[in-house]
Amino acid sequence: MTENTQTPSSPNSELPTQYAPAEVEGKLYERWVERGYFEADAKSEKPPYTVVIPPPNVTGSLHLGHAFEHTLIDALTRRKRMQGFETLWQPGMDHAGIATQNVVERELAKEGKSRHDLGREAFVERVWQWKAESGGQISGQMRRLGDGVDWSRERFTMDEGLSQAVQTIFKKLYDDELIYRAERIINWCPRCLTAISDIEVEYQDDEGELVSIRYGEGDASIVVATTRAETMLGDTAVAVHPEDERYKHLVGTEIELPLTGRRIPVVADEHVDPEFGTGAVKVTPAHDPNDFEIGQRHNLPNLAVMDEHAVITVHGPFQGLDRLEARSAIVAALRADGRIVAEKRPYTHSVGHCSRCKTTIEPRLSMQWWVKVGPLAKAAGDAVRDGRVKIHPQEMEKRYFDWVDNLHDWCISRQLWWGHRIPVWYGPNGEVVCVGPDEQPPSGEGWTQDTDVLDTWFSSGLWPFSTLGWPQQTESLAKFYPNSVLVTGYDILFFWVARMMMFGLYAMDGTPPFHTIALHGMVRDERGKKMSKSFGNAVNPLDWMDKYGSDAVRFTLARGANPGVDVPIGEDWVQASRNFANKIWNATRFALMNGATIEGELPAREQMSATDRWILSRLNKTVAEVDAFYEDYQFSKLSESLYHFAWDEVFDWYVELSKTTFFAGGEGAKVSGRVLGEVLDVTLRLLHPVVPFVTETLWTTLTGRESLVIAEWPKDSGFRDEAAEAEIENLQAVVTEVRRFRADQGLQPGQKVPARLDLSGTPLAAHEGAIRQLLRLQPEGEGFSATATLPVAGATVALDLSGTIDVAAERKRLSKDLGAAEKEKQQAEAKLGNEAFIAKAPDNVVDKIKGRLAKAEADIARLQAQLNALPAG
């Protein structure tokens, strides 16, 4: 398994007594970058492996979600690089239109200025200045985590090249009549003064009021309920279900809209649920997306009653009021007019808020630019259906299809100054000209460019190919497109992932942007609760890195990463991972001090002890197991496999079993030293993608070679020895059983006990010295009395406990515990034997009692065995 392709440096068997991550990590990372280990060569003949970083916002900083996702991607790319792939992990940042503009506007506000004081051009220049000075701190934090990205290729969604890609695809979509301009209902933020996408709307339960209002008079009246009384000023109809007998006589008639003096029609529409409320709804096409659709079907006028600041613009008494002020005033006026039939307050309901400024969003009729997603979404669905793109885990496919098969046209325009400006010019006579990147915009009197910019998701949707130089046919594009895998959270499956699929297939002649979409869950606290500053449970991963090291944070995150499932994490788990790093360190120090080496060929099988053959057999099985888990994106399982192999089998068993061999010296010590060197070499390679820093330090010290980053990934050599595995498993069974018995008897771990070992007829005879050392068993000597006898794995261990425990007191304690266990068993059996109880009890209650019965039976067997092992009397 050991390759010798790298130039050795001088091996150094000296390691500090303790591992200090802070003294190691930063220097190691800078060395990796300086030596160009992470740089991808488009001219290379190696097979490509490409992953893009989900571009973090330029305003952002590393949070646990980033650390989690980056750990998984880094593990994949480090392994593929070791496997001989030309590996590109593409870094970069998103310009984050609204978020960045808000940051700079807040800075201006401190100076007593607004963006309008500067003007558009100067404001945009100010944003670029902010980016140069303060943006992108997350890049430095990614280095702290150990991200193996190709920094020489770092991109920004407002770079010149990416801007050209944006303009190119806009022009292409426009020419293909897949981009159009129309007046529709959009999510509007009255604070940011822009349309925002669905993903930028956060829903939360707010307390409001539900008021029922009577429209019309007498038999020609209808009661409608609303939480937004202020929008009634813009009602242009009342809608009922066409089959609702209560209102059939009113359909086609007009009723008076209170407070306004206007008369509005009653229309029949199947959208209305006759079972909900009164079965009648007010229709405000300019301020509600569902109402807009009803209005389109019935040719209703769109009456906007609020401006961009959500201030009422119509009807004298309420004109100039903020929407919330108007709500109270209108309800009071309706109450005074006898129009309020019922009021419910507080009334809790889900309300959308701007994710950037937390302002309640306002559905608003607005002229915007749209992408006609029908054909694009169909292509995105077909690519998964026909197997060109695989979604992992597969059960997430349904959510993907539910989304792409029902996509509405996408509003891509934003009323901001920071972003990709829409490349459309308007002429003095109503001309509309879309300009490509190599075309001159029209000039002359009366020509103006559209003032809007594009939704940030528009440019990030091009990320898998725009970062590689598209629309130019570059070497990088030919080499690294399509991406091998996209690793991202299931929460943006519908937004970023779907847009990349649509644009990649459209721009790249039907070639999807990636072969596999590997979805992960969200990071939560140890109780499974969403992390949030407002909950007081948010964690800065940098604090944990400072305290425990980056490897500990990475290993904790990877160990919790089951595909598509949320990841609970707590500080105790990070501390446990730090302990694992320390265990690796200490075991390697021991190995180096006792002659572990990778020099020369592995000894022949017949030269090895059963212990040597056992660990090599287990090592190769672990290599095969870890490879299978990587290919299935089972990060939790591969981390668990490595953890238990390294800690339990290598460090706790092999190292301990080999101590007697090392202390004895001679040829056996040389053989075990070479085997231990091999095992550590391969184990450190296997661990490296997840915990790169501690493994790099230890491996270069062990081998004297340049770097694990460019080392060869281990291969399963096929070495198997089932007989040796069975032999050592029997040894482990003996040691484990006697250790458990000693603990049950209250003996201290280091307390020595005289013992007679009968290992005759078993392969364990060769291991008597190791068994005695591990169990602190002295030779039997004169006056030996076998007061306890333990048969296990074909062997017999007789212990002389006289003088070490109070047999009478121990028998009394065990008998008491046995009686309690038997009573618990009887009670559980009685309940499970009661047919009436079983018929009525919920399944979880029955299962709980079955569990109690199983535990009681196990306790009885254990306690009885302990009593039987005690001396008589």
Side-chain angles (χ1 to χ4, degrees):
M1 291 182 197
T2 303
E3 53 50 76
N4 291 286
T5 57
Q6 299 172 55
T7 303
S9 57
S10 299
N12 176 16
S13 61
E14 295 297 321
L15 284 170
T17 56
Q18 291 184 325
Y19 176 50
E23 297 175 11
V24 170
E25 293 175 351
K27 295 176 184 176
L28 271 186
Y29 188 85
E30 289 310 312
R31 186 187 308 160
W32 292 335
V33 173
E34 287 168 7
R35 293 180 178 180
Y37 292 157
F38 305 137
E39 293 180 11
D41 182 4
K43 293 182 170 64
S44 167
E45 294 184 1
K46 296 177 182 178
Y49 186 81
T50 315
V51 185
V52 294
I53 189 173
N57 287 352
V58 67
T59 59
S61 60
L62 191 75
H63 56 63
L64 265 181
H66 288 130
F68 173 53
E69 186 167 80
H70 291 199
T71 294
L72 305 187
I73 301 174
D74 198 38
L76 290 173
T77 52
R78 283 179 182 269
R79 173 175 174 262
K80 285 296 183 180
R81 191 177 292 112
M82 294 172 75
Q83 286 183 312
F85 286 79
E86 193 61 37
T87 302
L88 169 60
W89 184 10
Q90 172 68 54
M93 287 182 294
D94 192 286
H95 65 278
I98 295 176
T100 306
Q101 180 157 317
N102 281 348
V103 167
V104 178
E105 285 195 86
R106 283 196 294 270
E107 293 295 316
L108 285 174
K110 294 175 184 177
E111 304 170 15
K113 298 178 182 177
S114 73
R115 61 185 164 116
H116 300 285
D117 294 324
L118 272 66
R120 184 167 193 148
E121 186 175 335
F123 176 77
V124 170
E125 182 59 37
R126 180 70 176 258
V127 180
W128 278 109
Q129 180 184 337
W130 173 87
K131 177 192 179 285
E133 295 173 357
S134 306
Q137 62 172 319
I138 198 170
S139 296
Q141 295 165 345
M142 288 165 57
R143 293 169 183 263
R144 282 286 313 277
L145 188 65
D147 285 5
V149 301
D150 185 347
W151 290 111
S152 69
R153 293 172 174 266
E154 186 175 11
R155 303 305 300 268
F156 181 56
T157 50
M158 291 280 286
D159 284 350
E160 182 178 347
L162 271 67
S163 295
Q164 184 183 46
V166 168
Q167 197 170 350
T168 298
I169 202 162
F170 187 100
K171 170 72 170 173
K172 180 174 170 60
L173 288 163
Y174 182 87
D175 290 347
D176 288 346
E177 298 183 349
L178 292 173
I179 281 183
Y180 63 95
R181 194 170 184 237
E183 193 174 46
R184 299 273 184 83
I185 291 283
I186 45 89
N187 301 310
W188 180 263
C189 176
R191 156 62 183 80
C192 298
L193 298 179
T194 181
I196 61 175
S197 66
D198 291 337
I199 198 173
E200 292 163 325
V201 179
E202 293 180 347
Y203 287 90
Q204 65 185 49
D205 287 341
D206 286 358
E207 284 191 358
E209 60 179 346
L210 180 68
V211 293
S212 297
I213 310 167
R214 179 171 51 83
Y215 288 16
E217 302 292 344
D219 291 340
S221 66
I222 294 181
V223 174
V224 298
T226 182
T227 58
R228 306 185 66 226
E230 69 278 11
T231 63
M232 68 161 292
L233 300 176
D235 287 357
T236 56
V238 171
V240 298
H241 193 274
E243 302 301 323
D244 194 331
E245 295 293 335
R246 294 170 294 177
Y247 303 118
K248 274 195 171 181
H249 67 290
L250 292 177
V251 173
T253 68
E254 291 186 341
I255 57 175
E256 184 173 329
L257 179 65
L259 304 182
T260 67
R262 286 193 291 114
R263 297 187 66 79
I264 58 176
V266 177
V267 299
D269 195 279
E270 291 189 351
H271 170 77
V272 179
D273 181 0
E275 303 298 323
F276 183 77
T278 63
V281 296
K282 57 192 287 299
V283 182
T284 321
H287 293 278
D288 183 275
N290 292 323
D291 292 3
F292 178 79
E293 298 296 332
I294 294 174
Q296 293 290 294
R297 287 192 290 270
H298 298 277
N299 296 315
L300 299 174
N302 301 315
L303 179 58
V305 297
M306 290 181 227
D307 66 12
E308 59 187 11
H309 299 280
V311 170
I312 301 298
T313 58
V314 298
H315 201 68
F318 311 110
Q319 193 168 357
L321 294 179
D322 171 82
R323 56 183 165 169
L324 299 181
E325 297 172 331
R327 183 177 301 169
S328 299
I330 288 170
V331 170
L334 290 167
R335 191 183 299 114
D337 201 26
R339 293 285 175 177
I340 301 295
V341 176
E343 296 180 70
K344 183 178 181 180
R345 68 166 67 88
Y347 178 75
T348 303
H349 60 132
S350 182
V351 177
H353 296 259
C354 174
S355 63
R356 303 300 176 191
C357 68
K358 310 309 176 186
T359 302
T360 300
I361 65 107
E362 186 64 43
R364 185 169 188 253
L365 187 65
S366 180
M367 182 66 76
Q368 302 285 346
W369 285 94
W370 304 81
V371 171
K372 186 184 296 181
V373 299
L376 302 175
K378 182 182 183 303
D382 289 346
V384 174
R385 287 189 169 95
D386 63 24
R388 282 176 290 157
V389 178
K390 297 188 183 304
I391 294 179
H392 187 86
Q394 191 173 0
E395 54 265 28
M396 286 286 181
E397 282 187 4
K398 183 180 184 303
R399 297 178 66 173
Y400 176 79
F401 292 136
D402 286 346
W403 180 257
V404 298
D405 292 348
N406 298 285
L407 267 180
H408 298 293
D409 285 0
W410 170 22
C411 176
I412 55 171
S413 46
R414 299 291 180 265
Q415 290 64 56
L416 303 170
W417 287 358
W418 172 245
H420 295 282
R421 196 161 173 184
I422 289 176
V424 171
W425 271 256
Y426 304 107
N429 300 310
E431 302 96 331
V432 179
V433 176
C434 179
V435 177
D438 300 321
E439 300 171 349
Q440 288 295 321
S443 58
E445 187 176 349
W447 283 94
T448 59
Q449 186 178 358
D450 195 298
T451 58
D452 289 352
V453 300
L454 287 163
D455 177 13
T456 298
W457 294 101
F458 191 94
S459 51
S460 61
L462 314 180
W463 193 246
F465 52 93
S466 64
T467 52
L468 298 173
W470 187 90
Q472 275 69 46
Q473 297 304 307
T474 64
E475 284 184 320
S476 291
L477 188 65
K479 177 74 173 179
F480 296 113
Y481 187 92
N483 292 185
S484 305
V485 61
L486 173 73
V487 180
T488 192
Y490 63 70
D491 58 324
I492 57 173
L493 173 64
F494 315 129
F495 305 103
W496 186 47
V497 179
R499 281 151 175 70
M500 285 190 290
M501 285 286 283
M502 290 191 294
F503 281 168
L505 289 159
Y506 175 74
M508 300 300 292
D509 299 321
T511 302
F514 19 73
H515 298 301
T516 301
I517 302 168
L519 298 170
H520 59 72
M522 305 296 102
V523 177
R524 297 181 178 272
D525 71 13
E526 60 267 37
R527 297 178 182 84
K529 190 174 183 180
K530 179 182 177 182
M531 285 192 173
S532 166
K533 290 181 181 179
S534 60
F535 294 154
N537 63 350
V539 173
N540 183 346
L542 297 172
D543 293 340
W544 281 352
M545 289 184 210
D546 290 340
K547 194 171 182 180
Y548 303 110
S550 297
D551 284 333
V553 175
R554 290 170 61 113
F555 192 73
T556 305
L557 291 165
R559 200 174 178 187
N562 289 300
V565 178
D566 288 347
V567 182
I569 185 172
E571 188 167 0
D572 288 350
W573 304 337
V574 184
Q575 186 172 352
S577 295
R578 187 272 313 271
N579 295 343
F580 179 50
N582 289 342
K583 184 78 170 180
I584 302 170
W585 184 269
N586 293 332
T588 306
R589 281 190 75 246
F590 169 84
L592 290 169
M593 289 188 294
N594 285 277
T597 180
I598 64 163
E599 298 303 320
E601 296 296 322
L602 275 173
R605 187 183 291 253
E606 57 270 17
Q607 293 178 278
M608 299 181 196
S609 68
T611 309
D612 295 331
R613 287 182 275 112
W614 161 73
I615 197 63
L616 287 175
S617 185
R618 288 294 307 126
L619 175 69
N620 280 281
K621 286 184 178 179
T622 301
V623 170
E625 186 174 72
V626 168
D627 274 333
F629 286 144
Y630 262 115
E631 295 304 316
D632 199 33
Y633 305 100
Q634 297 280 358
F635 296 98
S636 177
K637 289 182 179 179
L638 71 89
S639 299
E640 283 294 313
S641 177
L642 287 170
Y643 176 87
H644 290 295
F645 174 72
W647 190 307
D648 299 343
E649 298 187 273
V650 179
F651 305 146
D652 276 359
W653 284 107
Y654 182 72
V655 168
E656 290 299 319
L657 289 170
S658 300
K659 282 182 178 178
T660 53
T661 305
F662 287 132
F663 295 159
E667 192 61 31
K670 290 181 181 179
V671 170
S672 290
R674 179 64 187 90
V675 170
L676 180 54
E678 180 77 4
V679 171
L680 284 175
D681 174 19
V682 175
T683 302
L684 291 171
R685 293 174 195 242
L686 291 173
L687 283 165
H688 177 73
V690 182
V691 284
F693 294 109
V694 66
T695 52
E696 173 84 340
T697 305
L698 295 174
W699 187 84
T700 52
T701 303
L702 170 71
T703 66
R705 293 182 178 156
E706 183 180 343
S707 175
L708 256 181
V709 180
I710 55 172
E712 184 179 334
W713 180 254
K715 295 182 177 67
D716 176 6
S717 72
F719 186 102
R720 298 288 190 277
D721 197 318
E722 301 301 333
E725 288 196 46
E727 183 174 326
I728 301 304
E729 284 173 10
N730 285 337
L731 183 152
Q732 292 171 325
V734 170
V735 172
T736 301
E737 179 62 22
V738 176
R739 279 177 173 169
R740 187 179 63 77
F741 178 77
R742 287 175 55 111
D744 288 340
Q745 306 308 317
L747 297 177
Q748 295 300 314
Q751 188 173 351
K752 293 183 178 180
V753 177
R756 177 187 300 140
L757 273 60
D758 182 1
L759 308 175
S760 58
T762 75
L764 297 180
H767 302 284
E768 180 169 350
I771 292 172
R772 285 189 177 277
Q773 179 180 324
L774 291 170
L775 292 171
R776 305 293 191 267
L777 301 180
Q778 294 177 319
E780 47 192 285
E782 289 187 20
F784 177 82
S785 174
T787 58
T789 303
L790 301 172
V792 56
T796 302
V797 180
L799 304 173
D800 183 354
L801 301 178
S802 57
T804 60
I805 63 169
D806 185 336
V807 174
E810 187 64 15
R811 185 174 294 281
K812 183 178 179 181
R813 181 184 71 83
L814 291 173
S815 297
K816 182 180 177 182
D817 291 347
L818 180 60
E822 288 173 338
K823 183 178 179 181
E824 175 73 7
K825 178 186 176 186
Q826 291 169 2
Q827 291 175 342
E829 286 178 335
K831 285 190 175 181
L832 293 173
N834 185 335
E835 293 182 4
F837 171 78
I838 294 296
K840 294 180 180 179
D843 289 345
N844 64 317
V845 173
V846 175
D847 289 342
K848 187 175 181 181
I849 295 171
K850 287 179 179 177
R852 284 169 50 192
L853 175 60
K855 182 179 183 303
E857 289 174 336
D859 288 344
I860 290 169
R862 176 178 56 82
L863 293 164
Q864 191 64 62
Q866 291 176 30
L867 280 166
N868 293 341
L870 285 174

